[in-house]
């Protein structure tokens, strides 16, 4: 069987280009700030028209959020802020609600509520809606088109998050590969460079995320990354503490890398090396688990259902990903840069990869149940659809890994050459076998001597060329010899078809792994399916069940007499069955209060033959009447009749049907 080695230089370049394109597509296609903490209700509601100015604005969320003084802003039609800026915590049990007070004496018009906060899983969320007092009006408020966590800052932050995952996988997986599978690899320069670059990538990405955190969750302006006040505020948050902890743990990881590629490679005593291996394994595991914990403590696992179980499971999941994908990357580098990697090392990694897949399956199943929650969310939400893509990629990766395992088995039991097998068949005694081995060893020594002689000749020829043709021609000849030497090494490498097949399958695994890591990064920035469905359910039920705003109606009237025209504004709070507070305002056509002698109200539910239920409100001041404890016995389409008397003889009755309860 013959095989041709892949052109790995070109293949790796294509891998990076494909990975960058796919990563860009995934990040561009995902909303940068999917509402992990969804807004499930507000008072007043979006688009509501209330008869009187509310005292405050309240927002209800699906999960806990971090509020600041500017998290809720209320703007009048001219864009002027009319809230007090004092955020009030109205949370009770599982209800997450915050409010902000409004200034008194607000005129009629349309008001805008703009809010922005950070959900418990570290992602920024924002939104805006309007409500009107009295008659709706035009507004000059221009809300930003850019979503929270979007724009250039959001893109840079997303890339840094991806690189942090990749750096973690290479750092942890590369170190584990060397310790558990290939101890000799600690002295191989390409492997050393790979692991060190993994550490540098993770450290740099963490620093970038720390600097970008303030604009990412706030203004969205890149210049705010260097705002010391904003950085101080970030350090006081859960995410800021996690990033600082990660940097501290990376200091310990640097010590681990220094010992692994320094003192560990110099140990010759087997007992000392075994003890050092044990110490590095324990210390490295603790540091790796700590770094993984900085994600678990600040993102999805730290909020929602069963966080006490979810966080350790998330740590195991991340460690399994690193052991598999990071080890796979190290194996690819070893196969390309160090063709002499022992076959036993590949076998050991194959077993570790299988164990990692088992852990990934178990932890991934739990995480899927926790974040998705239902079959409908699996197919009907962005999180569920991305999860299906991730599962498909894992399945493809496992299939390719099975092919790699087949190549590994061939490496573990190589076929002997025809000449050697024929010689061994002819030998019937131990002495004959030893003779054949002596011949093989002698041939190897002859080959070494021939290579040494060839190198000496090349060196002498190079000196003669320099003296005869000058430095330029000598440099050209040197480049040609280097190209010939490279071609010779490639030919020697390609002479092993099993190793070539393994390199190809591992390279394919690496391509899929890069895409899988990109999907995982986007998945961590997407609203969990369970939360999205709960938000939809709350929104749907909120429109038919208990409303969160009063019933507000406006009824124009004309009694036909002098000063007999105007408008009745009626507010029934909270607008549901049971006791309600009734407020009535009577206005002239120009909006000024109209003081009239009498006003009466009656409620009738015709479909149930209930009523009319009369209500006689008390006069509070000119143009304002109220009544407390107005009982609405059952839900339904109620007719509200208002009788207005403007003089001793001028009177009219107006009515309107509204749904109550």
């Amino acid at each position: 069987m013959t095989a041709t080695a892949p052109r790995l230089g070109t293949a790796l370049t294509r891998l990076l280009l494909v990975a960058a394109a796919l990563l860009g597509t995934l990040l561009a296609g995902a909303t940068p700030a999917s509402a992990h903490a969804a807004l499930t209700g507000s008072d007043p509601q979006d688009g509501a028209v209330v008869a009187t100015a509310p005292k405050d604005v309240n927002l209800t969320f699906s999960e806990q959020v971090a509020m600041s003084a500017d998290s809720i802003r209320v703007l009048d039609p001219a864009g002027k802020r009319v809230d007090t800026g004092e955020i009030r915590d109205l949370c009770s049990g599982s209800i997450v609600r915050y409010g902000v007070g409004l200034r008194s004496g607000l005129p009629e018009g349309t008001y805008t509520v703009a809010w922005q906060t950070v959900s418990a899983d570290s992602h920024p969320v924002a939104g805006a809606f309007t409500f009107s007092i009295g008659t709706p009006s035009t507004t000059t408020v221009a809300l930003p088109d850019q979503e929270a966590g979007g724009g250039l800052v959001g893109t840079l932050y997303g890339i840094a998050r991806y690189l942090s995952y990749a750096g973690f996988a290479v750092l942890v997986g590369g170190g584990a590969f060397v310790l558990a599978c290939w101890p000799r690899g600690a002295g191989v320069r390409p492997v050393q460079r790979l692991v060190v670059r993994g550490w540098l990538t993770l450290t740099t990405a963490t620093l970038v995320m720390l600097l970008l955190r303030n604009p990412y969750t706030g203004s969205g302006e890149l210049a705010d990354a260097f705002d010391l006040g904003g950085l101080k505020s970030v350090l006081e948050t859960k995410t800021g503490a996690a990033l600082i902890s990660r940097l501290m743990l990376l200091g310990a990881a640097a010590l681990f890398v220094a010992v692994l590629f320094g003192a560990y490679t110099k140990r010759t005593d087997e007992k000392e090396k075994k003890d050092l291996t044990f110490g590095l394994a324990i210390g490295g595991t603790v540091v790796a688990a700590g770094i993984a914990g900085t994600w678990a403590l600040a993102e999805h696992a730290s909020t929602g259902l069963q966080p006490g179980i979810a966080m350790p499971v998330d740590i195991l999941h991340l460690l399994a990903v690193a052991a598999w994908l990071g080890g796979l990357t190290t194996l690819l580098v070893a196969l390309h840069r160090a063709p002499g990697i022992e076959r036993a090392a590949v076998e050991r990694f194959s077993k570790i990869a299988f164990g990692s897949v088992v852990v990934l399956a178990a932890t991934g199943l739990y995480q899927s149940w926790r974040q998705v929650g239902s079959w409908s969310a699996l197919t009907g939400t962005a999180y569920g659809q991305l999860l299906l893509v991730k599962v498909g990629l894992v399945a493809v990766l496992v299939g390719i890994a099975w092919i790699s395992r087949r190549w590994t088995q061939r490496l573990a039991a190589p076929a002997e050459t025809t000449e050697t097998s024929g010689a061994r068949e002819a030998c019937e005694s131990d002495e004959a076998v030893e003779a054949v081995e002596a011949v093989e060893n002698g041939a190897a020594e002859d080959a070494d001597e021939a290579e040494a002689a060839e190198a000496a000749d090349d060196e002498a020829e190079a000196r003669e060329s320099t003296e005869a043709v000058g430095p330029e021609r000598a440099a050209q000849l040197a480049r040609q010899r280097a190209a010939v030497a490279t071609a010779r090494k490639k030919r020697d490498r390609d002479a092993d078809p099993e190793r070539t097949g393994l390199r190809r399958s591992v390279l394919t695994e690496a391509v899929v792994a890069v895409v899988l890591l990109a999907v995982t990064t986007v998945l961590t920035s997407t609203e969990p399916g369970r939360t999205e469905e709960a938000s939809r359910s709350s929104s749907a039920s909120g429109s038919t069940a208990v409303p969160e705003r009063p019933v507000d109606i406006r009824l124009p009237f004309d009694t036909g007499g002098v000063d007999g025209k105007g408008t009745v504004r009626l507010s029934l709070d909270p607008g549901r069955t049971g006791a309600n507070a009734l407020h009535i305002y009577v206005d002239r056509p120009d909006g000024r209060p109209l003081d009239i002698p009498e006003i009466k109200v009656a409620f009738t539910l015709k479909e149930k033959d209930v009523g009319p239920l009369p209500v006689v409100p008390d006069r509070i001041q000119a143009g304002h009447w109220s009544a407390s404890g107005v009982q609405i016995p059952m839900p339904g389409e109620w007719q509200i009749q208002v009788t207005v008397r403007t003089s001793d003889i001028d009177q009219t009755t107006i009515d309107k049907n509204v749904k109550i309860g």
Side-chain angles (χ1 to χ4, degrees):
M1 180 179 68
T2 61
T4 303
R7 298 179 61 183
L8 283 179
T10 304
L12 287 173
T13 302
R14 291 175 179 173
L15 167 62
L16 293 175
L17 292 175
V18 170
L22 288 172
L23 176 60
T25 302
L26 288 166
L27 292 177
T31 54
S34 300
H36 296 228
L39 181 69
T40 58
S42 65
D43 182 16
Q45 287 187 338
D46 184 13
V49 179
V50 297
T52 59
K55 295 181 180 180
D56 49 30
V57 171
N58 300 326
L59 305 181
T60 304
F61 297 92
S62 60
E63 66 178 47
Q64 193 56 250
V65 294
M67 285 287 189
S68 64
D70 291 331
S71 290
I72 304 176
R73 296 179 297 124
V74 183
L75 309 173
D76 67 10
K80 182 180 178 182
R81 190 165 176 175
V82 295
D83 62 273
T84 61
E86 297 178 1
I87 303 296
R88 294 183 298 166
D89 187 345
L90 305 176
C91 299
S92 176
S94 60
I95 299 176
V96 180
R97 180 178 293 130
Y98 291 88
V100 63
L102 299 181
R103 298 173 185 171
S104 59
L106 296 182
E108 291 189 350
T110 298
Y111 291 77
T112 301
V113 180
W115 58 272
Q116 180 167 338
T117 184
V118 180
S119 62
D121 58 6
S122 80
H123 299 284
V125 291
F129 63 91
T130 62
F131 71 93
S132 299
I133 301 175
T135 305
S137 66
T138 58
T139 177
T140 60
V141 177
L143 297 176
D145 297 331
Q146 179 178 305
E147 297 186 54
L152 176 60
V153 170
T155 301
L156 294 176
Y157 194 87
I159 293 174
R161 292 180 71 248
Y162 175 83
L163 292 176
S164 66
Y165 281 121
F168 173 76
V170 171
L171 172 63
V172 174
F177 183 89
V178 170
L179 279 177
C181 304
W182 194 33
R184 189 175 67 84
V188 176
R189 187 58 60 86
V191 173
Q192 293 177 352
R193 284 198 295 264
L194 176 69
V195 176
V196 170
R197 286 170 181 170
W199 182 89
L200 288 172
T201 300
L202 178 55
T203 302
T204 303
T206 302
L207 285 170
V208 170
M209 291 173 65
L210 188 61
L211 291 174
L212 291 178
R213 185 68 189 172
N214 177 44
Y216 175 66
T217 59
S219 65
E221 299 293 334
L222 186 59
D224 288 345
F226 305 100
D227 180 7
L228 295 181
L231 180 60
K232 180 182 177 182
S233 300
V234 168
L235 296 179
E236 295 173 353
T237 65
K238 181 174 65 173
T239 303
L243 292 173
I244 286 295
S245 299
R246 189 181 303 168
L247 288 173
M248 295 175 65
L249 288 166
L250 282 169
L255 179 61
F256 169 87
V257 172
V259 174
L260 179 63
F261 297 142
Y264 183 77
T265 59
K266 299 175 182 178
R267 289 289 188 274
T268 55
D269 184 86
E270 287 298 324
K271 185 178 184 307
E272 289 183 0
K273 194 159 189 172
K274 185 176 181 181
D275 292 341
L276 186 55
T277 300
F278 179 78
L280 285 173
I282 297 297
T285 301
V286 171
V287 173
I291 296 175
T294 61
W295 276 287
L297 290 170
E299 297 196 351
H300 283 166
S302 63
T303 185
L305 294 175
Q306 303 176 345
I309 299 175
M311 287 189 286
V313 168
D314 195 49
I315 291 173
L316 282 177
H317 191 81
L318 287 170
L319 291 177
V321 169
W324 185 15
L325 302 187
L328 183 70
T329 305
T330 310
L331 176 60
L332 177 62
V333 170
L335 288 171
H336 178 48
R337 298 295 184 184
I341 180 175
E342 292 83 358
R343 296 166 180 177
V346 183
E347 284 187 318
R348 284 192 288 269
F349 173 70
S350 180
K351 295 176 182 178
I352 291 176
F354 177 77
S356 298
V357 171
V358 172
V359 174
L360 283 173
T363 56
L365 187 63
Y366 171 77
Q367 289 177 328
S368 300
W369 166 81
R370 182 174 177 272
Q371 300 292 358
V372 177
S374 66
W375 292 109
S376 60
L378 189 62
T379 57
T381 65
Y383 187 95
Q385 293 163 1
L386 277 173
L387 184 62
L388 290 176
V389 173
K390 179 180 177 180
V391 171
L393 288 172
V394 170
V396 171
L397 202 56
V398 170
I400 302 172
W402 178 80
I403 297 174
S404 297
R405 187 176 178 86
R406 295 292 299 271
W407 284 113
T408 302
Q409 290 173 349
R410 294 185 185 183
L411 285 176
E416 295 177 317
T417 61
T418 304
E419 294 81 4
T420 305
S421 60
R424 292 191 183 278
E425 289 175 1
C427 297
E428 298 179 354
S429 64
D430 293 340
E431 291 81 0
V433 173
E434 292 176 358
V436 172
E437 291 177 347
V439 171
E440 293 174 348
N441 293 335
E445 292 175 358
D446 291 342
D448 292 340
E449 292 176 359
E451 290 182 1
E454 183 179 353
D457 292 341
D458 289 343
E459 184 178 355
E461 184 180 348
R463 287 196 302 269
E464 293 174 0
S465 299
T466 303
E467 296 172 357
V469 300
E472 293 184 3
R473 178 58 178 165
Q476 183 181 7
L477 292 174
R479 288 195 297 270
Q480 292 176 350
R481 291 191 190 92
V484 171
T486 301
R488 184 183 298 116
K489 291 180 180 179
K490 181 178 181 297
R491 184 179 63 251
D492 295 340
R493 188 174 66 231
D494 295 348
D496 188 345
E498 287 80 12
R499 200 173 298 274
T500 298
L502 180 61
R503 276 198 304 273
R504 285 176 169 173
S505 62
V506 170
L507 177 61
T508 307
E509 280 187 80
V511 173
V512 179
V514 169
V515 180
L516 175 62
L517 196 59
V519 173
T520 301
T521 304
V522 176
L523 197 62
T524 60
S525 300
T526 305
E527 179 182 0
R530 186 188 293 272
T531 304
E532 185 176 341
E533 283 213 329
S535 176
R536 292 176 184 174
S537 177
S538 298
S539 300
S541 62
S543 61
T544 57
V546 179
E548 293 190 10
R549 64 181 179 87
V551 172
D552 293 293
I553 60 174
R554 296 171 61 89
L555 300 170
F557 67 88
D558 184 1
T559 62
V562 178
D563 219 6
K565 292 184 179 181
T567 301
V568 171
R569 293 182 288 133
L570 183 146
S571 174
L572 189 68
D573 188 6
R576 60 175 179 235
T577 56
N580 291 262
L582 176 65
H583 289 271
I584 303 173
Y585 301 86
V586 181
D587 299 326
R588 299 176 185 272
D590 60 3
R592 293 184 295 115
L594 174 62
D595 198 14
I596 60 176
E598 185 182 25
I599 190 167
K600 295 185 293 186
V601 181
F603 294 85
T604 304
L605 184 61
K606 292 183 177 180
E607 60 181 348
K608 300 291 184 180
D609 293 326
V610 177
L613 305 177
V615 176
V616 181
D618 299 321
R619 181 180 181 277
I620 304 301
Q621 61 184 15
H624 182 195
W625 287 259
S626 72
S628 60
V630 177
Q631 293 291 330
I632 303 297
M634 63 184 67
E637 191 80 18
W638 287 82
Q639 181 189 62
I640 301 179
Q641 293 178 317
V642 180
T643 300
V644 179
R645 183 169 64 87
T646 57
S647 69
D648 292 340
I649 59 174
D650 297 318
Q651 176 178 301
T652 186
T653 299
I654 48 183
D655 62 75
K656 187 171 185 177
N657 293 334
V658 296
K659 190 172 184 179
I660 302 178

